[in-house]
């Protein structure tokens, strides 16, 4: 059974930084892409960033490109999301997710396993 556990959320002022972590268990971590998605109050869940199995390829939503960095440590079964220059509109619950198969996309429907989420609140 795949389990994903996020940590690192919190309250930060606009312009500040946070780093989210997600530790996975239950299958071979290095065989699957990983992603971060978020859901703000009253809005649908949206893609934020994804990283390939090896970490050699990364993908970002336009809204976070240049401010957020996704990375992974396959030896630690952990994926990270470094968030810089945070804005109030980044406020959301952030989810770590991974696809069920080795094929993946950037739609929320492409991710089959999800963590419980961690709250990120950016004050103005």
């Amino acid at each position: 059974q795949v389990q994903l556990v996020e940590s690192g959320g919190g309250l930060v002022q606009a312009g500040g930084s946070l780093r989210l972590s997600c530790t996975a268990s239950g299958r071979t971590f290095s065989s699957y892409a990983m992603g971060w998605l978020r859901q703000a109050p009253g809005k649908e869940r949206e893609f934020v960033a994804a990283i390939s199995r090896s970490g050699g390829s990364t993908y970002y939503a336009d809204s976070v490109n240049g401010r957020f960095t996704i990375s992974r440590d396959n030896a630690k079964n952990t994926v990270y999301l470094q968030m810089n220059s945070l804005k109030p509109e980044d406020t959301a619950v952030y989810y770590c997710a991974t696809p069920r198969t080795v094929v993946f996309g950037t739609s929320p429907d492409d991710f089959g396993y999800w963590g419980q989420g961690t709250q990120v609140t950016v004050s103005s």
Side-chain angles (χ1 to χ4, degrees):
Q1 182 179 358
V2 176
Q3 290 190 319
L4 304 173
V5 180
E6 302 103 333
S7 62
L11 173 64
V12 64
Q13 288 188 332
S17 298
L18 282 174
R19 189 175 84 153
L20 306 182
S21 300
C22 170
T23 301
S25 61
R27 66 180 186 181
T28 304
F29 180 75
S30 59
S31 294
Y32 298 89
M34 297 294 298
W36 289 95
L37 299 94
R38 67 187 181 186
Q39 187 166 21
K43 295 187 177 181
E44 295 189 353
R45 200 167 292 189
E46 65 174 0
F47 171 78
V48 174
I51 188 167
S52 62
R53 291 175 288 176
S54 67
S57 297
T58 55
Y59 310 86
Y60 297 95
D62 289 343
S63 58
V64 307
N65 196 22
R67 300 187 297 122
F68 291 10
T69 302
I70 188 171
S71 61
R72 67 189 295 162
D73 185 337
N74 285 344
K76 295 183 178 180
N77 289 0
T78 300
V79 61
Y80 305 96
L81 185 68
Q82 178 67 44
M83 304 185 294
N84 298 330
S85 301
L86 282 161
K87 305 175 181 179
E89 51 263 44
D90 294 318
T91 295
V93 177
Y94 283 71
Y95 297 91
C96 172
T98 186
R100 292 187 182 275
T101 72
V102 296
V103 177
F104 84 103
T106 58
S107 165
D109 291 339
D110 293 321
F111 294 87
Y113 298 104
W114 297 77
Q116 80 286 354
T118 186
Q119 178 70 47
V120 171
T121 302
V122 184
S123 63
S124 57

